[in-house]
Amino acid sequence: MRLKFRQLGEVGCGNELIFPSDPENLAALKLNTPADEQVLEFTPTKAGEFQFYCGHRMFRGLFTVKG
Ligand SMILES: [Cu+2]
């Protein structure tokens, strides 16, 4: 699965995201400008909710994988 992320505004540390969906292989991406687009490659091993957040967990998001 490929998830596309774009920057919708400059929000400091919120433009750098960590994806702990695979604890042994943490993924991170940084969106530097509004034109920036990053792709997260992700192979879910189970259905459920997967969180992502900035380094301080101030900014958080969630995506759901349905089985
Ligand atoms: Cu932060």
Side-chain angles (χ1 to χ4, degrees):
M1 156 160 102
R2 288 166 56 87
L3 300 171
K4 224 183 255 186
F5 285 80
R6 289 183 297 124
Q7 190 202 88
L8 297 181
E10 173 56 54
V11 289
C13 64
N15 292 118
E16 192 163 356
L17 301 170
I18 299 166
F19 298 85
S21 45
D22 178 357
E24 291 176 15
N25 187 20
L26 285 183
L29 59 83
K30 191 170 184 180
L31 298 160
N32 291 311
T33 69
D36 222 353
E37 192 173 274
Q38 301 272 330
V39 174
L40 177 75
E41 298 272 358
F42 176 61
T43 305
T45 54
K46 60 180 181 179
E49 294 186 329
F50 295 85
Q51 281 192 331
F52 56 95
Y53 37 74
C54 78
H56 321 93
R57 299 190 185 212
M58 294 159 47
F59 294 97
R60 284 179 248 171
L62 189 72
F63 56 89
T64 303
V65 174
K66 295 186 175 179

